[in-house]
Amino acid sequence: MLRTNKDNMKQQIQYKINSKTKPLGSLGISELLAEQICLVQNTLHPELKNPTILVFAADHGIAQCGVSAYPAEVTSQMVLNFLNGGAAINVFCRQHHIQLKVIDAGVNFDFEPHPQLIDAKIAKGTRNFLIEKAMTAEQLQHCFAKAREIIEITYANDCNIIGFGEMGIGNTSSASMLMSALCNLPIEDCVGRGTGLDDAQLQHKLTILRQAQQNHPKPLNAQEALQFFGGFEIAQICGAMLAAYEKNMLILVDGFIATSAFLCAYHIKPEIIKNAIFCHQSDEQGHQKMLNYLNAKPILNLGMRLGEGTGCAVAYPIIQSAVNFMNEMASFESAGVSNKK
Amino acid sequence: MLRTNKDNMKQQIQYKINSKTKPLGSLGISELLAEQICLVQNTLHPELKNPTILVFAADHGIAQCGVSAYPAEVTSQMVLNFLNGGAAINVFCRQHHIQLKVIDAGVNFDFEPHPQLIDAKIAKGTRNFLIEKAMTAEQLQHCFAKAREIIEITYANDCNIIGFGEMGIGNTSSASMLMSALCNLPIEDCVGRGTGLDDAQLQHKLTILRQAQQNHPKPLNAQEALQFFGGFEIAQICGAMLAAYEKNMLILVDGFIATSAFLCAYHIKPEIIKNAIFCHQSDEQGHQKMLNYLNAKPILNLGMRLGEGTGCAVAYPIIQSAVNFMNEMASFESAGVSNKK
């Protein structure tokens, strides 16, 4: 039987993994990660270069409806916190020497220029999708074009592994709407407490989102879903993931909102899943079902639900461990260790 | 109501965690880790100093009964692999700047001196516990005394967080016997495939261990269980954990065998659990039940079953993340971020 080069590479990778001085399969998920990374990079000597996390921030018209536990100005305040180095994502990126950039995809605030801030503002927040489309078709195309530019720059900086985070008060509502539309699940299955709604607030959010669903036709595709429900940061992440896939980068998928962006990208380009590393399972209800839809097994389950790309950053050393064991561990033969009886 | 200083410290820790710029509780397990570490160190500014992993190695008389998928000489071969830097634990310790020492607790081999090797050999392997006690009472005391010395040295090197790994062909059999005795569980619930037994080999292992259980009285306590079933590395890890607790170190608990050593230490000194961080859930059947017995929720579940302390090493950056967010993240107040509505 003829084998393709890819089958051949897969066999060679498996052989290399199995020849390492450890019981077969005993590194669990790390072995699957090593295999995936080697396949993406088409090599037996994988390498992670200049890991970068891009945090996209934007405001949401739907926040006017009281769907979040926090006031809308927290979006801009948290962007300033990112730029001052005080947020969780700053701490974890510093720990793991991950480059961090913040993208103003559409925050309702005028920021001073800052070396870590990229201006890709589409507008000062989406429109309220309870009553109208979150963005125009032109704005969506603008999101994709800006995202592509940002990836071009990141790729030019010799980065081959990229994570995506988000900040945007109200954006779990957009993510829930996208999930419901693209996974064909009732909105009830897709709505959670976000940053910490109580029971009554959760009911209110659900009522609003159910109404919003009735106010729009069923979206025909991912692009239309993004246009209907936003947000600018989710659309830019989706576009950036697609552009990163074209550059054959490894794509780190974070929690509920980032995964909803991935879900859109996956609907546009299903092959993207080959390059996706699902970093963690969020505590936000709905994320597990979204991961199931994607048949994704995340690396971590730490009960986190913070966004910002924090799941990507915390999972990064485990991805690095997979690469390191592949490159550095001795084989049974080289170490003179007896193999299985 | 009067409050003790500890209650007061606990409140202060919780207040500090909750004032960080993130939704309440949104860092999940990391917040529990931060609280535990602050409580152990009695501070709001925790610190991990000179992290160290000690890998204890020894041979087992029971290996003669064909309970392992690998030949007994793999114990000494793997020790040499550790000293040459080629094993999984070497790779992960290098990645995270963790000091690694290897302890010959009772390997059936004469090693040349090596800067990373500590000679604490009790004998060239335990006796076969199918037919007799694995070690004498004097040998067990010797194990505890040697372990204490090693911890004294590590503590003198200003280490405050220590992980324990093991290597010893046959040692899942000892761990299963300890678990069955100390958790009061039938041996069937405690036996697994170890380094990779097939169905028939697993049945054979179970038959041997069931017979061994019949050949000994029920152990009166953890010390007697260790004496009956070994091994030297498990007894030394148990003693080292107890000594580390006396020094108020953080104790990283690895997989099935290391947890069986912790189980013994816990039976001797239940308070030790305050300092224990359970790093991962092993894929070895039985580990989940052992963790349940200890009411322990491990950090990682990566499907690993390699031993050597690899679970501790891979989990280490997540523990460091917990300390880092506590020390480095801004508060709502300091960052000027609005809190919950």
Side-chain angles (χ1 to χ4, degrees), chain A residues 220-240:
Chain A
L220 290 174
N221 53 37
Q223 288 92 331
E224 206 169 76
L226 282 167
Q227 200 196 322
F228 287 2
F229 307 123
F232 294 134
E233 82 282 43
I234 298 177
Q236 290 196 5
I237 293 173
C238 171

Side-chain angles (χ1 to χ4, degrees), chain A residues 21 332-333 335-341, chain B residues 69-75 77-78 169:
Chain A
T21 48
F332 282 101
E333 198 179 10
V337 174
S338 309
N339 210 328
K340 226 169 148 174
K341 284 188 278 201
Chain B
Y70 284 80
E73 63 262 28
V74 166
T75 305
Q77 291 167 344
M78 282 301 296
I169 295 300

